[in-house]
C-alpha cells in the first residue's frame, strides 16, 4: 500500500489476499478524489494501476482487449464524468467514498480457479465543495457499484510496488450489479 496517494486525495490500494478488505478499498477508490490535489487524468491513471488481466481468457491478446474494455467501462460508466469533475473542481471540491454496509459476494462465471469474485455494495459518496462565502457545503449520495477482483496466484502486481502475485487486484469495475 502506498499511503502517499492520500496526499493526492486518493484511496491507497491495499496489499492483501483478503477479498473483503480489497473490495471495500476498490469500491471506495473508484469515487474518492480531491480536485484541489490532483487532476482527473492522473487519478484515472492511478486507478489503472489497480488492474490485472482477467485470467479467464486464454491468449494475451484477448486479455489485453478485455482489460482495455474494462478501463473504458471504468471511465464511461463508473467514475464521475469529466463535466461533473470540472464543475466540482470550479468549487474546489472533493468526494470521499465509503462502504458502510455489507458487501455481497458472488462467484465469477466461467472462473474455474475460484480465485475471482464479484463484490457489490452501496457506496456513500460525500461531496464537499466551497460555498463561495469561505465555508463548505456537503451532501451525500448513495450509488450501487460492483468490482470483480482476482485474489490468486495469477494476479499481476503493480510494477515497482510491494505487491506480489496472489495479492488481490481488479479485473473490472462496473456500476450497479450484473443481471443473471
Amino acid at each position: 500500500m502506498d499511503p502517499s496517494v492520500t496526499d493526492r486525495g486518493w484511496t491507497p490500494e491495499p496489499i492483501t489476499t483478503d477479498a473483503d478488505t480489497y473490495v471495500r478499498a476498490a469500491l471506495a477508490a473508484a469515487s474518492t478524489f480531491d480536485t484541489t490535489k490532483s487532476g482527473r487524468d492522473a487519478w484515472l491513471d492511478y486507478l489503472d494501476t489497480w488492474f490485472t488481466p482477467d485470467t479467464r481468457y486464454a491468449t494475451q491478446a484477448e486479455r489485453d482487449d478485455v482489460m482495455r474494455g474494462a478501463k473504458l467501462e471504468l471511465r464511461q460508466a463508473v467514475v464521475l464524468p469529466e463535466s461533473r469533475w470540472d464543475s466540482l473542481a470550479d468549487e474546489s471540491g472533493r468526494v470521499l467514498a465509503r462502504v458502510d454496509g455489507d458487501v455481497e459476494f458472488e462467484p465469477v462465471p466461467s472462473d474455474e480457479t475460484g480465485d475471482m469474485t464479484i463484490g457489490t455494495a452501496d457506496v456513500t459518496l460525500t461531496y464537499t465543495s466551497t460555498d463561495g462565502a469561505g465555508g463548505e457545503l456537503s451532501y451525500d449520495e448513495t450509488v450501487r457499484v460492483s468490482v470483480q477482483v482476482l485474489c490468486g496466484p495469477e494476479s499481476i502486481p503493480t510494477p515497482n510496488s510491494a505487491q506480489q502475485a496472489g495479492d488481490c487486484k481488479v479485473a473490472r469495475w462496473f456500476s450497479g450489479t450484473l443481471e443473471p
Side-chain angles (χ1 to χ4, degrees):
M1 170 169 38
D2 179 4
S4 70
V5 302
T6 59
D7 295 340
R8 300 191 75 185
W10 306 333
T11 299
E13 182 180 15
I15 298 173
T16 183
T17 58
D18 179 67
D20 185 71
T21 299
Y22 190 86
V23 163
R24 288 175 181 280
L27 292 172
S31 295
T32 297
F33 59 86
D34 186 329
T35 65
T36 67
K37 296 180 178 181
S38 66
R40 186 172 186 272
D41 289 341
W43 175 59
L44 290 171
D45 288 346
Y46 168 67
L47 291 178
D48 285 347
T49 68
W50 289 56
F51 280 100
T52 194
D54 189 328
T55 56
R56 293 176 298 163
Y57 298 90
T59 70
Q60 189 61 47
E62 288 174 318
R63 289 179 180 190
D64 290 346
D65 284 345
V66 169
M67 187 179 297
R68 271 192 294 281
K71 289 179 179 181
L72 183 62
E73 182 175 24
L74 171 69
R75 286 158 171 74
Q76 292 182 345
V78 178
V79 300
L80 193 71
E82 188 171 8
S83 61
R84 286 196 58 203
W85 174 287
D86 292 344
S87 177
L88 194 58
D90 288 344
E91 300 170 351
S92 300
R94 62 189 180 274
V95 178
L96 177 63
R98 67 187 184 282
V99 178
D100 293 324
D102 292 334
V103 175
E104 298 168 14
F105 288 94
E106 61 185 279
V108 173
S110 304
D111 172 37
E112 296 178 12
T113 68
D115 292 335
M116 276 194 269
T117 189
I118 296 171
T120 302
D122 290 327
V123 180
T124 302
L125 310 178
T126 301
Y127 289 81
T128 304
S129 59
T130 58
D131 66 4
E136 291 187 332
L137 300 170
S138 291
Y139 68 93
D140 288 345
E141 177 182 323
T142 301
V143 296
R144 189 101 171 135
V145 184
S146 298
V147 64
Q148 176 183 327
V149 298
L150 171 62
C151 300
E154 293 191 51
S155 70
I156 298 175
T158 300
N160 303 314
S161 76
Q163 292 175 338
Q164 298 178 23
D167 289 332
C168 296
K169 298 293 289 180
V170 170
R172 177 182 173 208
W173 272 286
F174 42 102
S175 79
T177 58
L178 290 180
E179 297 299 322

mmCIF file of all heavy atoms in Angstrom, residues 5 9-14 21-34 43-44 46-50 74 78-80 85 95-99 123 125 145 147 170 173:
data_model
loop_
_atom_site.group_PDB
_atom_site.id
_atom_site.type_symbol
_atom_site.label_atom_id
_atom_site.label_comp_id
_atom_site.label_asym_id
_atom_site.label_seq_id
_atom_site.Cartn_x
_atom_site.Cartn_y
_atom_site.Cartn_z
ATOM 1 N N VAL A 5 -0.517 8.280 -1.609
ATOM 2 C CA VAL A 5 -1.593 8.644 -2.527
ATOM 3 C C VAL A 5 -2.673 9.443 -1.815
ATOM 4 O O VAL A 5 -3.407 10.197 -2.453
ATOM 5 C CB VAL A 5 -2.186 7.437 -3.285
ATOM 6 C CG1 VAL A 5 -1.115 6.711 -4.076
ATOM 7 C CG2 VAL A 5 -2.915 6.496 -2.366
ATOM 8 N N GLY A 9 -5.359 12.883 -2.510
ATOM 9 C CA GLY A 9 -6.795 12.775 -2.336
ATOM 10 C C GLY A 9 -7.378 11.450 -2.762
ATOM 11 O O GLY A 9 -8.591 11.335 -2.968
ATOM 12 N N TRP A 10 -6.557 10.409 -2.885
ATOM 13 C CA TRP A 10 -6.981 9.120 -3.395
ATOM 14 C C TRP A 10 -6.985 8.069 -2.293
ATOM 15 O O TRP A 10 -6.390 8.232 -1.243
ATOM 16 C CB TRP A 10 -6.064 8.641 -4.511
ATOM 17 C CG TRP A 10 -5.875 9.598 -5.644
ATOM 18 C CD1 TRP A 10 -6.754 10.557 -6.068
ATOM 19 C CD2 TRP A 10 -4.744 9.704 -6.501
ATOM 20 N NE1 TRP A 10 -6.230 11.242 -7.144
ATOM 21 C CE2 TRP A 10 -4.988 10.736 -7.435
ATOM 22 C CE3 TRP A 10 -3.543 9.025 -6.586
ATOM 23 C CZ2 TRP A 10 -4.094 11.102 -8.430
ATOM 24 C CZ3 TRP A 10 -2.633 9.386 -7.574
ATOM 25 C CH2 TRP A 10 -2.914 10.410 -8.490
ATOM 26 N N THR A 11 -7.608 6.928 -2.585
ATOM 27 C CA THR A 11 -7.619 5.777 -1.687
ATOM 28 C C THR A 11 -6.418 4.893 -1.991
ATOM 29 O O THR A 11 -6.216 4.505 -3.145
ATOM 30 C CB THR A 11 -8.913 4.953 -1.896
ATOM 31 O OG1 THR A 11 -10.035 5.775 -1.596
ATOM 32 C CG2 THR A 11 -8.921 3.703 -1.025
ATOM 33 N N PRO A 12 -5.616 4.558 -0.977
ATOM 34 C CA PRO A 12 -4.481 3.659 -1.219
ATOM 35 C C PRO A 12 -4.953 2.248 -1.563
ATOM 36 O O PRO A 12 -5.937 1.754 -0.998
ATOM 37 C CB PRO A 12 -3.721 3.650 0.101
ATOM 38 C CG PRO A 12 -4.294 4.734 0.935
ATOM 39 C CD PRO A 12 -5.656 5.043 0.402
ATOM 40 N N GLU A 13 -4.246 1.612 -2.485
ATOM 41 C CA GLU A 13 -4.550 0.224 -2.822
ATOM 42 C C GLU A 13 -3.937 -0.678 -1.758
ATOM 43 O O GLU A 13 -2.724 -0.678 -1.559
ATOM 44 C CB GLU A 13 -3.983 -0.146 -4.195
ATOM 45 C CG GLU A 13 -4.331 -1.561 -4.598
ATOM 46 C CD GLU A 13 -3.773 -1.959 -5.958
ATOM 47 O OE1 GLU A 13 -2.881 -1.261 -6.482
ATOM 48 O OE2 GLU A 13 -4.217 -2.988 -6.484
ATOM 49 N N PRO A 14 -4.772 -1.464 -1.060
ATOM 50 C CA PRO A 14 -4.205 -2.336 -0.032
ATOM 51 C C PRO A 14 -3.442 -3.500 -0.660
ATOM 52 O O PRO A 14 -3.761 -3.945 -1.762
ATOM 53 C CB PRO A 14 -5.430 -2.841 0.725
ATOM 54 C CG PRO A 14 -6.552 -2.734 -0.243
ATOM 55 C CD PRO A 14 -6.217 -1.584 -1.159
ATOM 56 N N THR A 21 -11.499 -7.006 2.338
ATOM 57 C CA THR A 21 -10.701 -5.793 2.557
ATOM 58 C C THR A 21 -10.410 -5.092 1.238
ATOM 59 O O THR A 21 -10.563 -3.871 1.107
ATOM 60 C CB THR A 21 -9.373 -6.147 3.265
ATOM 61 O OG1 THR A 21 -9.676 -6.722 4.536
ATOM 62 C CG2 THR A 21 -8.475 -4.939 3.424
ATOM 63 N N TYR A 22 -10.012 -5.876 0.251
ATOM 64 C CA TYR A 22 -9.643 -5.304 -1.037
ATOM 65 C C TYR A 22 -10.854 -4.714 -1.758
ATOM 66 O O TYR A 22 -10.793 -3.604 -2.294
ATOM 67 C CB TYR A 22 -8.950 -6.347 -1.915
ATOM 68 C CG TYR A 22 -8.337 -5.731 -3.144
ATOM 69 C CD1 TYR A 22 -7.058 -5.181 -3.102
ATOM 70 C CD2 TYR A 22 -9.043 -5.665 -4.336
ATOM 71 C CE1 TYR A 22 -6.510 -4.583 -4.221
ATOM 72 C CE2 TYR A 22 -8.499 -5.074 -5.462
ATOM 73 C CZ TYR A 22 -7.230 -4.535 -5.400
ATOM 74 O OH TYR A 22 -6.689 -3.939 -6.511
ATOM 75 N N VAL A 23 -11.963 -5.448 -1.783
ATOM 76 C CA VAL A 23 -13.165 -4.974 -2.477
ATOM 77 C C VAL A 23 -13.645 -3.654 -1.876
ATOM 78 O O VAL A 23 -13.988 -2.715 -2.603
ATOM 79 C CB VAL A 23 -14.272 -6.049 -2.459
ATOM 80 C CG1 VAL A 23 -15.633 -5.459 -2.788
ATOM 81 C CG2 VAL A 23 -13.922 -7.170 -3.431
ATOM 82 N N ARG A 24 -13.666 -3.554 -0.561
ATOM 83 C CA ARG A 24 -14.093 -2.303 0.082
ATOM 84 C C ARG A 24 -13.215 -1.133 -0.364
ATOM 85 O O ARG A 24 -13.717 -0.055 -0.679
ATOM 86 C CB ARG A 24 -14.071 -2.446 1.603
ATOM 87 C CG ARG A 24 -15.177 -3.317 2.128
ATOM 88 C CD ARG A 24 -15.080 -3.544 3.643
ATOM 89 N NE ARG A 24 -16.164 -4.400 4.084
ATOM 90 C CZ ARG A 24 -17.406 -3.990 4.303
ATOM 91 N NH1 ARG A 24 -17.721 -2.726 4.158
ATOM 92 N NH2 ARG A 24 -18.334 -4.852 4.674
ATOM 93 N N ALA A 25 -11.910 -1.349 -0.407
ATOM 94 C CA ALA A 25 -10.997 -0.279 -0.834
ATOM 95 C C ALA A 25 -11.199 0.047 -2.311
ATOM 96 O O ALA A 25 -11.202 1.219 -2.706
ATOM 97 C CB ALA A 25 -9.549 -0.681 -0.572
ATOM 98 N N ALA A 26 -11.369 -0.979 -3.144
ATOM 99 C CA ALA A 26 -11.548 -0.754 -4.582
ATOM 100 C C ALA A 26 -12.839 0.010 -4.861
ATOM 101 O O ALA A 26 -12.869 0.908 -5.717
ATOM 102 C CB ALA A 26 -11.536 -2.079 -5.333
ATOM 103 N N LEU A 27 -13.915 -0.331 -4.148
ATOM 104 C CA LEU A 27 -15.177 0.379 -4.341
ATOM 105 C C LEU A 27 -15.037 1.838 -3.924
ATOM 106 O O LEU A 27 -15.572 2.732 -4.588
ATOM 107 C CB LEU A 27 -16.305 -0.309 -3.566
ATOM 108 C CG LEU A 27 -16.714 -1.694 -4.082
ATOM 109 C CD1 LEU A 27 -17.702 -2.356 -3.126
ATOM 110 C CD2 LEU A 27 -17.268 -1.631 -5.492
ATOM 111 N N ALA A 28 -14.313 2.103 -2.846
ATOM 112 C CA ALA A 28 -14.092 3.488 -2.411
ATOM 113 C C ALA A 28 -13.176 4.234 -3.384
ATOM 114 O O ALA A 28 -13.398 5.402 -3.702
ATOM 115 C CB ALA A 28 -13.501 3.507 -1.001
ATOM 116 N N ALA A 29 -12.149 3.551 -3.878
ATOM 117 C CA ALA A 29 -11.160 4.206 -4.756
ATOM 118 C C ALA A 29 -11.781 4.756 -6.028
ATOM 119 O O ALA A 29 -11.343 5.792 -6.542
ATOM 120 C CB ALA A 29 -10.043 3.227 -5.112
ATOM 121 N N ALA A 30 -12.813 4.079 -6.527
ATOM 122 C CA ALA A 30 -13.425 4.490 -7.792
ATOM 123 C C ALA A 30 -14.209 5.794 -7.677
ATOM 124 O O ALA A 30 -14.674 6.315 -8.690
ATOM 125 C CB ALA A 30 -14.335 3.381 -8.322
ATOM 126 N N SER A 31 -14.313 6.336 -6.458
ATOM 127 C CA SER A 31 -15.045 7.597 -6.286
ATOM 128 C C SER A 31 -14.410 8.536 -5.270
ATOM 129 O O SER A 31 -15.024 9.525 -4.892
ATOM 130 C CB SER A 31 -16.492 7.321 -5.872
ATOM 131 O OG SER A 31 -17.190 6.658 -6.890
ATOM 132 N N THR A 32 -13.212 8.260 -4.807
ATOM 133 C CA THR A 32 -12.562 9.133 -3.823
ATOM 134 C C THR A 32 -11.475 9.944 -4.508
ATOM 135 O O THR A 32 -10.538 9.379 -5.083
ATOM 136 C CB THR A 32 -11.956 8.308 -2.669
ATOM 137 O OG1 THR A 32 -13.012 7.627 -1.981
ATOM 138 C CG2 THR A 32 -11.201 9.202 -1.696
ATOM 139 N N PHE A 33 -11.630 11.274 -4.442
ATOM 140 C CA PHE A 33 -10.645 12.174 -5.056
ATOM 141 C C PHE A 33 -10.817 13.575 -4.487
ATOM 142 O O PHE A 33 -11.838 13.893 -3.871
ATOM 143 C CB PHE A 33 -10.792 12.204 -6.582
ATOM 144 C CG PHE A 33 -12.153 12.641 -7.038
ATOM 145 C CD1 PHE A 33 -12.458 13.986 -7.187
ATOM 146 C CD2 PHE A 33 -13.135 11.706 -7.301
ATOM 147 C CE1 PHE A 33 -13.720 14.395 -7.585
ATOM 148 C CE2 PHE A 33 -14.409 12.099 -7.705
ATOM 149 C CZ PHE A 33 -14.701 13.453 -7.848
ATOM 150 N N ASP A 34 -9.812 14.396 -4.695
ATOM 151 C CA ASP A 34 -9.840 15.801 -4.288
ATOM 152 C C ASP A 34 -9.349 16.624 -5.472
ATOM 153 O O ASP A 34 -8.191 16.515 -5.868
ATOM 154 C CB ASP A 34 -8.936 16.005 -3.069
ATOM 155 C CG ASP A 34 -9.022 17.401 -2.482
ATOM 156 O OD1 ASP A 34 -9.262 18.367 -3.251
ATOM 157 O OD2 ASP A 34 -8.816 17.542 -1.268
ATOM 158 N N TRP A 43 -5.698 10.826 -11.656
ATOM 159 C CA TRP A 43 -6.477 9.911 -10.819
ATOM 160 C C TRP A 43 -6.852 8.651 -11.600
ATOM 161 O O TRP A 43 -6.712 7.538 -11.103
ATOM 162 C CB TRP A 43 -7.706 10.651 -10.304
ATOM 163 C CG TRP A 43 -8.682 9.826 -9.531
ATOM 164 C CD1 TRP A 43 -8.458 9.117 -8.380
ATOM 165 C CD2 TRP A 43 -10.061 9.638 -9.844
ATOM 166 N NE1 TRP A 43 -9.620 8.499 -7.976
ATOM 167 C CE2 TRP A 43 -10.622 8.817 -8.852
ATOM 168 C CE3 TRP A 43 -10.882 10.104 -10.860
ATOM 169 C CZ2 TRP A 43 -11.956 8.436 -8.850
ATOM 170 C CZ3 TRP A 43 -12.219 9.738 -10.855
ATOM 171 C CH2 TRP A 43 -12.739 8.913 -9.865
ATOM 172 N N LEU A 44 -7.298 8.833 -12.841
ATOM 173 C CA LEU A 44 -7.646 7.663 -13.660
ATOM 174 C C LEU A 44 -6.414 6.804 -13.963
ATOM 175 O O LEU A 44 -6.496 5.575 -13.948
ATOM 176 C CB LEU A 44 -8.323 8.106 -14.956
ATOM 177 C CG LEU A 44 -9.727 8.680 -14.774
ATOM 178 C CD1 LEU A 44 -10.227 9.293 -16.070
ATOM 179 C CD2 LEU A 44 -10.686 7.627 -14.250
ATOM 180 N N TYR A 46 -3.926 6.460 -11.994
ATOM 181 C CA TYR A 46 -3.692 5.736 -10.746
ATOM 182 C C TYR A 46 -4.637 4.535 -10.638
ATOM 183 O O TYR A 46 -4.218 3.427 -10.290
ATOM 184 C CB TYR A 46 -3.861 6.672 -9.544
ATOM 185 C CG TYR A 46 -3.907 5.937 -8.227
ATOM 186 C CD1 TYR A 46 -2.782 5.265 -7.750
ATOM 187 C CD2 TYR A 46 -5.070 5.871 -7.476
ATOM 188 C CE1 TYR A 46 -2.821 4.559 -6.553
ATOM 189 C CE2 TYR A 46 -5.118 5.172 -6.281
ATOM 190 C CZ TYR A 46 -3.989 4.519 -5.824
ATOM 191 O OH TYR A 46 -4.035 3.818 -4.643
ATOM 192 N N LEU A 47 -5.921 4.744 -10.929
ATOM 193 C CA LEU A 47 -6.872 3.621 -10.864
ATOM 194 C C LEU A 47 -6.472 2.512 -11.827
ATOM 195 O O LEU A 47 -6.686 1.333 -11.544
ATOM 196 C CB LEU A 47 -8.295 4.100 -11.150
ATOM 197 C CG LEU A 47 -8.928 4.990 -10.083
ATOM 198 C CD1 LEU A 47 -10.323 5.433 -10.527
ATOM 199 C CD2 LEU A 47 -8.983 4.297 -8.725
ATOM 200 N N ASP A 48 -5.873 2.864 -12.958
ATOM 201 C CA ASP A 48 -5.398 1.849 -13.905
ATOM 202 C C ASP A 48 -4.377 0.907 -13.280
ATOM 203 O O ASP A 48 -4.268 -0.253 -13.683
ATOM 204 C CB ASP A 48 -4.795 2.501 -15.155
ATOM 205 C CG ASP A 48 -5.840 3.077 -16.096
ATOM 206 O OD1 ASP A 48 -7.050 2.783 -15.941
ATOM 207 O OD2 ASP A 48 -5.433 3.841 -17.001
ATOM 208 N N THR A 49 -3.613 1.376 -12.282
ATOM 209 C CA THR A 49 -2.599 0.526 -11.647
ATOM 210 C C THR A 49 -3.236 -0.567 -10.788
ATOM 211 O O THR A 49 -2.550 -1.512 -10.405
ATOM 212 C CB THR A 49 -1.604 1.331 -10.785
ATOM 213 O OG1 THR A 49 -2.281 1.861 -9.629
ATOM 214 C CG2 THR A 49 -0.948 2.446 -11.588
ATOM 215 N N TRP A 50 -4.519 -0.456 -10.504
ATOM 216 C CA TRP A 50 -5.212 -1.472 -9.716
ATOM 217 C C TRP A 50 -5.561 -2.696 -10.562
ATOM 218 O O TRP A 50 -5.868 -3.757 -10.019
ATOM 219 C CB TRP A 50 -6.507 -0.900 -9.124
ATOM 220 C CG TRP A 50 -6.334 0.089 -8.021
ATOM 221 C CD1 TRP A 50 -5.612 1.258 -8.043
ATOM 222 C CD2 TRP A 50 -6.919 0.035 -6.721
ATOM 223 N NE1 TRP A 50 -5.720 1.914 -6.856
ATOM 224 C CE2 TRP A 50 -6.520 1.187 -6.015
ATOM 225 C CE3 TRP A 50 -7.755 -0.879 -6.097
ATOM 226 C CZ2 TRP A 50 -6.926 1.437 -4.707
ATOM 227 C CZ3 TRP A 50 -8.161 -0.616 -4.793
ATOM 228 C CH2 TRP A 50 -7.748 0.527 -4.106
ATOM 229 N N LEU A 74 -14.703 1.692 -16.893
ATOM 230 C CA LEU A 74 -14.440 2.488 -15.698
ATOM 231 C C LEU A 74 -14.654 3.964 -15.998
ATOM 232 O O LEU A 74 -15.333 4.671 -15.259
ATOM 233 C CB LEU A 74 -13.010 2.244 -15.201
ATOM 234 C CG LEU A 74 -12.513 3.165 -14.082
ATOM 235 C CD1 LEU A 74 -13.248 2.875 -12.776
ATOM 236 C CD2 LEU A 74 -11.013 3.021 -13.909
ATOM 237 N N VAL A 78 -18.491 4.252 -14.579
ATOM 238 C CA VAL A 78 -18.307 4.116 -13.136
ATOM 239 C C VAL A 78 -17.896 5.432 -12.483
ATOM 240 O O VAL A 78 -18.549 5.891 -11.549
ATOM 241 C CB VAL A 78 -17.270 3.009 -12.810
ATOM 242 C CG1 VAL A 78 -17.035 2.905 -11.307
ATOM 243 C CG2 VAL A 78 -17.724 1.678 -13.383
ATOM 244 N N VAL A 79 -16.825 6.047 -12.935
ATOM 245 C CA VAL A 79 -16.319 7.251 -12.269
ATOM 246 C C VAL A 79 -17.129 8.485 -12.661
ATOM 247 O O VAL A 79 -17.868 8.487 -13.647
ATOM 248 C CB VAL A 79 -14.818 7.489 -12.566
ATOM 249 C CG1 VAL A 79 -13.981 6.319 -12.090
ATOM 250 C CG2 VAL A 79 -14.581 7.798 -14.022
ATOM 251 N N LEU A 80 -16.945 9.533 -11.887
ATOM 252 C CA LEU A 80 -17.612 10.806 -12.138
ATOM 253 C C LEU A 80 -17.259 11.300 -13.541
ATOM 254 O O LEU A 80 -16.085 11.349 -13.898
ATOM 255 C CB LEU A 80 -17.147 11.832 -11.099
ATOM 256 C CG LEU A 80 -17.931 13.116 -10.996
ATOM 257 C CD1 LEU A 80 -19.301 12.849 -10.372
ATOM 258 C CD2 LEU A 80 -17.168 14.113 -10.124
ATOM 259 N N TRP A 85 -16.729 16.455 -12.889
ATOM 260 C CA TRP A 85 -15.439 16.696 -12.244
ATOM 261 C C TRP A 85 -15.083 18.174 -12.385
ATOM 262 O O TRP A 85 -14.726 18.828 -11.407
ATOM 263 C CB TRP A 85 -14.351 15.825 -12.863
ATOM 264 C CG TRP A 85 -12.963 16.110 -12.349
ATOM 265 C CD1 TRP A 85 -12.193 17.207 -12.632
ATOM 266 C CD2 TRP A 85 -12.179 15.320 -11.450
ATOM 267 N NE1 TRP A 85 -10.984 17.138 -11.975
ATOM 268 C CE2 TRP A 85 -10.962 15.991 -11.247
ATOM 269 C CE3 TRP A 85 -12.397 14.101 -10.827
ATOM 270 C CZ2 TRP A 85 -9.952 15.486 -10.424
ATOM 271 C CZ3 TRP A 85 -11.379 13.607 -10.010
ATOM 272 C CH2 TRP A 85 -10.182 14.288 -9.816
ATOM 273 N N VAL A 95 -14.547 14.375 -3.161
ATOM 274 C CA VAL A 95 -15.512 13.318 -2.864
ATOM 275 C C VAL A 95 -14.803 12.269 -2.017
ATOM 276 O O VAL A 95 -13.693 11.848 -2.340
ATOM 277 C CB VAL A 95 -16.069 12.671 -4.156
ATOM 278 C CG1 VAL A 95 -17.029 11.535 -3.806
ATOM 279 C CG2 VAL A 95 -16.755 13.701 -5.034
ATOM 280 N N LEU A 96 -15.461 11.860 -0.967
ATOM 281 C CA LEU A 96 -14.977 10.766 -0.128
ATOM 282 C C LEU A 96 -16.005 9.651 -0.216
ATOM 283 O O LEU A 96 -17.181 9.861 0.096
ATOM 284 C CB LEU A 96 -14.802 11.212 1.325
ATOM 285 C CG LEU A 96 -14.366 10.121 2.299
ATOM 286 C CD1 LEU A 96 -12.984 9.592 1.935
ATOM 287 C CD2 LEU A 96 -14.391 10.641 3.718
ATOM 288 N N ALA A 97 -15.586 8.492 -0.675
ATOM 289 C CA ALA A 97 -16.480 7.345 -0.829
ATOM 290 C C ALA A 97 -16.201 6.340 0.278
ATOM 291 O O ALA A 97 -15.051 6.131 0.671
ATOM 292 C CB ALA A 97 -16.279 6.698 -2.193
ATOM 293 N N ARG A 98 -17.272 5.725 0.758
ATOM 294 C CA ARG A 98 -17.106 4.711 1.796
ATOM 295 C C ARG A 98 -18.187 3.641 1.667
ATOM 296 O O ARG A 98 -19.308 3.933 1.264
ATOM 297 C CB ARG A 98 -17.088 5.337 3.180
ATOM 298 C CG ARG A 98 -18.391 5.944 3.602
ATOM 299 C CD ARG A 98 -18.298 6.713 4.928
ATOM 300 N NE ARG A 98 -19.609 7.186 5.332
ATOM 301 C CZ ARG A 98 -20.234 8.242 4.841
ATOM 302 N NH1 ARG A 98 -19.663 8.968 3.912
ATOM 303 N NH2 ARG A 98 -21.444 8.587 5.274
ATOM 304 N N VAL A 99 -17.808 2.441 2.042
ATOM 305 C CA VAL A 99 -18.729 1.314 2.085
ATOM 306 C C VAL A 99 -19.033 1.080 3.557
ATOM 307 O O VAL A 99 -18.164 0.654 4.306
ATOM 308 C CB VAL A 99 -18.104 0.049 1.454
ATOM 309 C CG1 VAL A 99 -19.063 -1.133 1.558
ATOM 310 C CG2 VAL A 99 -17.702 0.306 0.018
ATOM 311 N N VAL A 123 -22.372 2.346 -1.964
ATOM 312 C CA VAL A 123 -21.250 3.202 -1.621
ATOM 313 C C VAL A 123 -21.794 4.607 -1.367
ATOM 314 O O VAL A 123 -22.510 5.160 -2.209
ATOM 315 C CB VAL A 123 -20.198 3.222 -2.753
ATOM 316 C CG1 VAL A 123 -19.025 4.125 -2.393
ATOM 317 C CG2 VAL A 123 -19.712 1.806 -3.052
ATOM 318 N N LEU A 125 -21.204 8.418 -1.189
ATOM 319 C CA LEU A 125 -20.298 9.443 -1.690
ATOM 320 C C LEU A 125 -20.625 10.741 -0.968
ATOM 321 O O LEU A 125 -21.753 11.226 -1.038
ATOM 322 C CB LEU A 125 -20.483 9.650 -3.197
ATOM 323 C CG LEU A 125 -20.479 8.411 -4.083
ATOM 324 C CD1 LEU A 125 -20.730 8.802 -5.536
ATOM 325 C CD2 LEU A 125 -19.180 7.663 -3.941
ATOM 326 N N VAL A 145 -22.321 -0.078 -6.678
ATOM 327 C CA VAL A 145 -21.147 -0.326 -7.514
ATOM 328 C C VAL A 145 -20.665 -1.749 -7.275
ATOM 329 O O VAL A 145 -20.810 -2.294 -6.184
ATOM 330 C CB VAL A 145 -20.013 0.682 -7.203
ATOM 331 C CG1 VAL A 145 -18.835 0.487 -8.125
ATOM 332 C CG2 VAL A 145 -20.506 2.115 -7.293
ATOM 333 N N VAL A 147 -17.319 -4.610 -8.257
ATOM 334 C CA VAL A 147 -15.943 -4.775 -8.720
ATOM 335 C C VAL A 147 -15.649 -6.273 -8.778
ATOM 336 O O VAL A 147 -16.058 -7.032 -7.903
ATOM 337 C CB VAL A 147 -14.933 -4.025 -7.816
ATOM 338 C CG1 VAL A 147 -14.912 -4.584 -6.400
ATOM 339 C CG2 VAL A 147 -13.543 -4.006 -8.412
ATOM 340 N N VAL A 170 -7.858 -5.716 -9.317
ATOM 341 C CA VAL A 170 -9.121 -5.502 -10.012
ATOM 342 C C VAL A 170 -9.047 -6.077 -11.427
ATOM 343 O O VAL A 170 -8.094 -5.815 -12.155
ATOM 344 C CB VAL A 170 -9.453 -3.994 -10.104
ATOM 345 C CG1 VAL A 170 -10.629 -3.740 -11.038
ATOM 346 C CG2 VAL A 170 -9.724 -3.415 -8.728
ATOM 347 N N TRP A 173 -14.251 -2.902 -12.867
ATOM 348 C CA TRP A 173 -15.234 -2.163 -12.080
ATOM 349 C C TRP A 173 -16.466 -1.986 -12.953
ATOM 350 O O TRP A 173 -16.349 -1.804 -14.163
ATOM 351 C CB TRP A 173 -14.744 -0.747 -11.764
ATOM 352 C CG TRP A 173 -13.933 -0.539 -10.536
ATOM 353 C CD1 TRP A 173 -14.375 -0.526 -9.253
ATOM 354 C CD2 TRP A 173 -12.538 -0.210 -10.469
ATOM 355 N NE1 TRP A 173 -13.347 -0.234 -8.381
ATOM 356 C CE2 TRP A 173 -12.205 -0.038 -9.118
ATOM 357 C CE3 TRP A 173 -11.530 -0.048 -11.422
ATOM 358 C CZ2 TRP A 173 -10.934 0.292 -8.689
ATOM 359 C CZ3 TRP A 173 -10.268 0.279 -11.006
ATOM 360 C CH2 TRP A 173 -9.966 0.441 -9.652
#
